[in-house]
């Protein structure tokens, strides 16, 4: 069977399995083993132990449960909620201040969790109801939660970034540092849109700041304290990586210990909270690991079958036939990942595309760290794009009964366009991504 026919068969089987609602990890692994048995025979089963060893025994991937656990501890202890209240308290006199604080806090919560779906669901459960109760336009409320929660994979520590670095043999620290300026630009653009939008249409965001006006001085001090210390913990986790004090995995352990210490010091620690955070982390990690295993089996089988050579030959033929510049190939890759985001989540896109595209990018003379950030920006847009973006259904899952899917579709449109603008900006001006890591860690 030629690699072209095999590729079409694999894509068709994936689409069929997903359309029937099959579990993602089992579907990908099952397809790889089934088609592999028909083409390779029993030798395909040798791929399982080698994939298990390379995937589950990676020190870098140990960071995933640590970051998820840190996020669960902060949100379940109420410290994540305190971050939201503190930011709103500081911004209370600006129209749309609640929406602005939601972008900032949801970004931080998304960064703590490290996965778009969990970040949006956690952020939405904290921020959506207060916004609706205070009279905010529901499309604005839904849009800022989706936009802010989705930024979590662009703000270190980011699990998709870790997976990209691990699968392409690049530095996780450089990835984290390279993402900082694009993340700052994204937040600035989103906040500017909220301010301008609320200025043009004041009915979207009432000036009344609600409960913050009725806080006693003592309550304000407590809220500010909890929120500031939670932010300091996140900065400490990132700072330990930038300064070289800790590896990304070790910094995840620092975050977990710090979250527990904050809960104890601020008298928010409860054994039930500790227990439920552990159980939820175990569930999320278990699901993630099955997806990683299935996607890795699928990717390894496809790679060993020769798909990388096929893609390289195809790219070379198209480039020579149409005399396309290298940047056109990068754009084609971006479109491919955008389409994949309609049907699969961010972790699978990284695992499938990173080892396939990164060597081609390097061969074209581009920096793999730059392309990795473009991939993260692209995925962030893809999984939020109607009608099948996975993140849309995560938000619907925690939305009140009066919120329809059409409301969610309409709410994300302006924010997707803004994020697309940031992606294009980073693509046209690579120094936006590469300047800071080169400055702090030297040329890669």
């Amino acid at each position: 069977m030629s690699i072209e026919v095999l590729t079409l068969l694999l894509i068709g089987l994936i689409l069929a399995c997903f359309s029937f609602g099959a579990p993602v990890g089992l579907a990908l692994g099952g397809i790889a083993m089934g088609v592999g048995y028909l083409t390779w025979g029993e030798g395909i089963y040798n791929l399982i132990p080698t994939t298990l060893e390379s995937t589950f025994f990676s020190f870098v991937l140990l960071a995933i449960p640590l970051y998820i656990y840190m996020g669960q501890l902060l949100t379940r202890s109420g410290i994540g909620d305190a971050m939201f209240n503190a930011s709103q308290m500081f911004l209370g006199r600006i129209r749309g201040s609640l929406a602005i604080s939601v972008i900032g806090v949801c970004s931080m919560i998304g960064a703590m969790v490290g996965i778009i779906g969990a970040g949006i669901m956690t952020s939405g459960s904290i921020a959506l109801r207060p916004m609706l109760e205070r009279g905010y336009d529901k499309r604005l409320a839904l849009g800022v939660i989706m936009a802010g929660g989705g930024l979590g994979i662009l703000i270190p520590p980011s699990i998709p970034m870790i997976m990209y670095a691990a699968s392409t043999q690049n530095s996780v620290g450089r990835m984290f540092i390279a993402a900082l300026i694009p993340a700052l630009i994204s937040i600035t653009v989103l906040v500017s849109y909220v301010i301008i939008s609320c200025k043009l249409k004041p009915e979207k965001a009432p000036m009344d700041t609600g409960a913050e006006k009725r806080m006693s001085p003592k309550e304000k001090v407590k809220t500010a304290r909890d929120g500031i210390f939670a932010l300091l913990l996140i900065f400490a986790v990132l700072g330990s990586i930038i300064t070289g004090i800790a590896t990304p995995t070790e910094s995840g352990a620092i975050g977990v210990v710090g979250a527990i210490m904050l809960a104890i010091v601020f008298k928010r620690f409860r054994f039930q909270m500790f227990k439920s955070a552990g159980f939820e982390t175990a569930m999320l990690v278990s699901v993630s690991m099955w997806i990683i295993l299935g996607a890795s089996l699928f990717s390894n089988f496809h790679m060993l079958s020769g798909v990388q050579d096929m893609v390289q030959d195809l790219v070379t033929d198209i480039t020579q036939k149409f005399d396309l510049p290298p940047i056109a190939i990068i754009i084609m890759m971006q479109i491919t990942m955008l389409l994949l985001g309609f049907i699969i989540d961010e972790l699978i896109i990284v695992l499938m595309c990173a080892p396939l595209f990164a060597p081609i990018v390097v061969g074209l003379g581009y920096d793999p760290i730059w392309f990795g950030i473009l991939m993260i920006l692209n995925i962030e847009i893809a999984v939020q794009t109607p009608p099948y973006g996975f993140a849309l259904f995560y938000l619907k899952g925690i939305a009140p009964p009066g919120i329809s899917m059409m409301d969610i579709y309409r709410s994300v449109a302006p924010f997707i366009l803004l994020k697309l603008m940031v992606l294009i900006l980073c693509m046209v001006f690579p120094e936006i991504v590469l300047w800071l890591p080169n400055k702090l860690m030297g040329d890669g």
Side-chain angles (χ1 to χ4, degrees):
M1 184 184 299
S2 68
I3 183 60
E4 291 81 4
V5 174
L6 178 64
T7 299
L8 291 174
L9 175 62
L10 291 174
I11 293 174
L13 289 172
I14 288 174
L15 294 175
C17 287
F18 286 174
S19 66
F20 287 115
V24 173
L26 296 178
L28 288 170
I31 290 170
M33 291 298 99
V35 176
Y37 181 79
L38 295 176
T39 54
W40 291 8
E42 294 182 358
I44 186 63
Y45 299 128
N46 294 326
L47 195 61
I48 297 176
T50 57
T51 302
L52 276 170
E53 182 179 2
S54 63
T55 302
F56 287 178
F57 293 90
S58 169
F59 182 70
V60 172
L61 291 183
L62 182 60
I64 292 178
L66 292 172
Y67 287 134
I68 292 177
Y69 194 30
M70 179 181 70
Q72 288 296 320
L73 287 169
L74 287 174
T75 53
R76 290 179 180 272
S77 66
I79 296 175
D81 203 356
M83 291 169 58
F84 171 76
N85 292 333
S87 62
Q88 163 60 12
M89 184 175 66
F90 290 132
L91 297 172
R93 297 308 303 165
I94 302 174
R95 185 175 295 279
S97 59
L98 186 55
I100 295 170
S101 64
V102 163
I103 291 174
V105 173
C106 288
S107 300
M108 293 297 102
I109 292 174
M112 289 187 294
V113 176
I115 302 174
I116 283 183
I120 287 174
M121 293 180 73
T122 304
S123 304
S125 62
I126 294 174
L128 182 55
R129 193 170 298 278
M131 293 187 75
L132 297 177
E133 288 176 350
R134 297 181 195 192
Y136 273 70
D137 178 76
K138 62 182 178 181
R139 292 183 189 173
L140 178 63
L142 293 165
V144 295
I145 288 171
M146 180 73 79
L151 278 175
I153 66 167
L154 185 60
I155 300 174
S158 162
I159 291 172
M161 283 190 212
I162 295 171
M163 296 172 67
Y164 175 87
S167 62
T168 61
Q169 303 300 308
N170 280 289
S171 166
V172 178
R174 289 186 73 87
M175 281 290 295
F176 281 3
I177 297 171
L180 292 179
I181 293 179
L184 182 60
I185 292 173
S186 297
I187 293 173
T188 303
V189 168
L190 294 175
V191 169
S192 300
Y193 169 79
V194 169
I195 294 174
I196 295 171
S197 177
C198 293
K199 186 78 172 178
L200 295 176
K201 295 184 178 180
E203 65 273 12
K204 284 188 173 184
M207 279 295 294
D208 180 25
T209 57
E212 289 75 22
K213 280 187 173 181
R214 299 187 292 274
M215 280 186 180
S216 66
K218 184 177 179 180
E219 290 173 329
K220 289 182 178 180
V221 170
K222 181 181 178 182
T223 299
R225 178 203 66 187
D226 291 4
I228 290 171
F229 272 94
L231 288 172
L232 287 176
L233 175 61
I234 297 172
F235 293 143
V237 169
L238 178 58
S240 65
I241 299 172
I242 294 176
T243 58
I245 295 174
T247 66
T249 301
E250 292 166 345
S251 70
I254 292 172
V256 170
V257 173
I260 294 174
M261 293 300 296
L262 286 180
I264 292 174
V265 170
F266 297 151
K267 299 179 181 179
R268 294 174 176 269
F269 186 87
R270 301 289 184 275
F271 179 75
Q272 183 58 38
M273 175 273 295
F274 184 73
K275 179 181 175 182
S276 60
F279 276 126
E280 185 65 23
T281 300
M283 291 178 62
L284 288 172
V285 171
S286 298
V287 171
S288 299
M289 289 298 104
W290 275 111
I291 291 175
I292 290 171
L293 176 60
S296 297
L297 285 170
F298 183 90
S299 177
N300 290 342
F301 167 63
H302 206 185
M303 293 281 286
L304 291 172
S305 297
V307 68
Q308 186 170 329
D309 293 335
M310 183 196 76
V311 172
Q312 286 178 330
D313 292 341
L314 178 62
V315 169
T316 302
D317 290 344
I318 293 175
T319 304
Q320 293 175 348
K321 184 176 181 179
F322 296 101
D323 196 23
L324 295 176
I327 192 64
I329 307 302
I330 302 296
I331 293 173
M332 290 169 58
M333 293 178 181
Q334 299 299 319
I335 294 172
T336 301
M337 291 185 290
L338 191 66
L339 294 174
L340 285 173
F342 295 166
I343 56 174
I344 54 180
D345 69 20
E346 71 269 21
L347 301 182
I348 306 172
I349 296 174
V350 172
L351 288 169
M352 290 178 63
C353 294
L356 188 64
F357 289 161
I360 300 173
V361 171
V362 173
L364 292 172
Y366 292 108
D367 191 299
I369 297 295
W370 168 74
F371 182 75
I373 299 302
L374 294 186
M375 177 178 285
I376 299 300
L377 287 165
N378 185 302
I379 292 170
E380 184 189 344
I381 297 168
V383 298
Q384 298 180 11
T385 302
Y388 299 120
F390 274 37
L392 302 167
F393 302 105
Y394 291 134
L395 184 57
K396 181 66 172 70
I398 52 91
I403 302 294
S404 66
M405 280 305 301
M406 191 55 64
D407 291 327
I408 294 176
Y409 288 162
R410 291 171 177 168
S411 72
V412 300
F415 295 97
I416 287 174
L417 292 176
L418 293 172
K419 292 185 177 184
L420 184 60
M421 183 180 71
V422 176
L423 171 62
I424 294 172
L425 191 66
C426 292
M427 191 184 305
V428 175
F429 302 103
E431 283 303 307
I432 293 175
V433 175
L434 298 176
W435 176 80
L436 190 58
N438 289 342
K439 189 77 172 175
L440 295 178
M441 303 179 72
D443 292 341

